Amino acid sequence: MIPRRTLLAAAAAPLATPALAQISATRPLRIIVPNPPGGQSDTIARLYGEAIQAISGQAVVVENRSGANGLIAMDAVAKAPPDGLTTGLFSITMFTSLPAMMSRMPLDVDRDVTPITSVVTSTVLCCVRADRAQERGWGDFGAMLEWAKRPGNELTNGAASSGGASHLLTATIARRSGAAITVVPYRGGAPALNDLLAGNIDMCFDFMPALLPHVAAGTLKAMAVGSRERVPFLPDVPGMGDFSALGIGDLDLQSWNILGGPGTLPPELAARTQDLLRRAAAHPGLEDRLRTNGLLALPPLDAAATRARILADRPRWQEMVQISGARIE
């Protein structure tokens, strides 16, 4: 006879069994993203979803749950059954700068979400209208900042949101360099880009997919990327490290994405998903499709290493929040 205590223990921990891991491998994998269709997280999830299905045969469903600064999507992942079938694709800012900006977080990002693995990294690109750069003598990003340090001159920067990566980086650049820059927040990157093209604002730091076609057409001029180093697919565009003389050479905005699961996700199921991402990252054609969208694949770290990197990045993001004064009620 099996002791009752043994039966209860087995019932309390079914998720750790090989049988459940096999079920997880045959049922669809759901990736919840905090953006509407066409957003950066949505694009990443669909590209990786196609690669996962190609290499494993497992169906992948991308579910868009936008709103509340990404917290609707994160809450859905945190409350999902910890069976390895529900994940979410989140920016590093969800784990670092957002908690520092919100007066009250509805969940604990360290307790309620398991950071399964790293996925991709990206940075923002600063663009100005090409004709305005020529008119004002902005040969490069440094020259533009020097222009904005002169009495009576001021730059306006369109940010896709208040407290987003563009806002935080631009406010830090202004503080460090002494340039006069006013951040104009918008409800998304599209309206900011429209105002940039119309000449209503001077510059825009934003993620690359929407900006690069206008750079290729010659309408916009790429001035700098937000990372310290230059990015491989834009070798002629300087990074922050090229402007050490202006006090911003150590800035390094790397907005990397994390695949997360419920906080109680068993380690073996997290490891299985991490292995899926590792094999998907090597799928032919994925790297080129990512680069077209201004993205670089990251080596898929395990859950412990991903969490350690979050903790290492958090002070840098929180410093930018403090400088910007951004708050979300």
Side-chain angles (χ1 to χ4, degrees):
M1 180 179 295
I2 300 175
R4 182 171 181 270
R5 180 177 298 175
T6 302
L7 288 173
L8 289 174
L15 299 176
T17 65
L20 184 69
Q22 184 62 36
I23 291 172
S24 297
T26 56
R27 288 167 53 193
L29 176 68
R30 183 170 61 138
I31 305 177
I32 298 176
V33 297
N35 308 110
Q40 179 160 290
S41 294
D42 178 76
T43 299
I44 297 166
R46 293 182 190 280
L47 289 176
Y48 270 86
E50 291 173 12
I52 288 170
Q53 190 158 344
I55 58 118
S56 70
Q58 182 169 7
V60 178
V61 177
V62 177
E63 184 176 322
N64 303 92
R65 293 204 185 183
S66 58
N69 300 291
L71 289 172
I72 292 175
M74 184 171 274
D75 186 63
V77 171
K79 293 177 178 176
D83 56 9
L85 295 173
T86 299
T87 61
L89 189 67
F90 305 113
S91 166
I92 179 63
T93 57
M94 295 287 297
F95 296 86
T96 54
S97 59
L98 184 62
M101 285 187 285
M102 294 200 69
S103 56
R104 187 179 66 85
M105 283 283 287
L107 52 79
D108 185 326
V109 295
D110 294 325
R111 180 196 64 207
D112 299 333
V113 180
T114 296
I116 296 171
T117 187
S118 53
V119 184
V120 302
T121 186
S122 60
T123 189
V124 289
L125 176 67
C126 177
C127 286
V128 301
R129 275 180 46 148
D131 56 354
R132 185 165 297 183
Q134 184 174 10
E135 173 191 326
R136 295 184 176 176
W138 298 340
D140 62 17
F141 187 70
M144 184 172 70
L145 293 186
E146 292 291 356
W147 179 91
K149 291 169 67 175
R150 297 174 196 156
N153 290 346
E154 183 181 48
L155 293 167
T156 50
N157 174 73
S161 64
S162 178
S166 174
H167 182 182
L168 300 183
L169 179 63
T170 306
T172 305
I173 290 171
R175 169 75 67 85
R176 296 274 197 91
S177 68
I181 308 175
T182 296
V183 176
V184 182
Y186 288 81
R187 290 181 178 273
L193 175 58
N194 289 338
D195 263 6
L196 177 65
L197 293 171
N200 297 328
I201 54 175
D202 295 312
M203 58 185 278
C204 190
F205 258 115
D206 202 355
F207 293 101
M208 298 185 191
L211 296 173
L212 290 177
H214 299 283
V215 173
T219 309
L220 297 181
K221 178 177 180 178
M223 304 295 281
V225 293
S227 55
R228 183 169 54 243
E229 305 296 334
R230 301 186 181 204
V231 296
F233 44 85
L234 292 173
D236 297 327
V237 179
M240 294 292 102
D242 290 284
F243 304 107
S244 296
L246 289 166
I248 59 175
D250 63 330
L251 294 181
D252 188 23
L253 192 146
Q254 296 281 348
S255 183
W256 52 291
N257 289 80
I258 298 160
L259 193 74
T264 54
L265 185 68
E268 63 269 27
L269 294 185
R272 177 193 168 271
T273 303
Q274 189 258 345
D275 181 65
L276 270 179
L277 265 290
R278 178 187 60 77
R279 291 189 288 136
H283 187 63
L286 179 61
E287 184 177 2
D288 289 340
R289 295 180 71 186
L290 289 172
R291 289 192 174 206
T292 299
N293 287 278
L295 304 164
L296 292 172
L298 284 171
L301 303 174
D302 63 22
T306 303
R307 190 180 296 279
R309 184 173 174 184
I310 289 170
L311 296 176
D313 275 9
R314 188 170 283 167
R316 180 167 54 87
W317 284 95
Q318 290 179 340
E319 179 190 8
M320 290 194 290
V321 170
Q322 184 177 18
I323 289 172
S324 72
R327 295 293 295 169
I328 300 173
E329 299 301 331

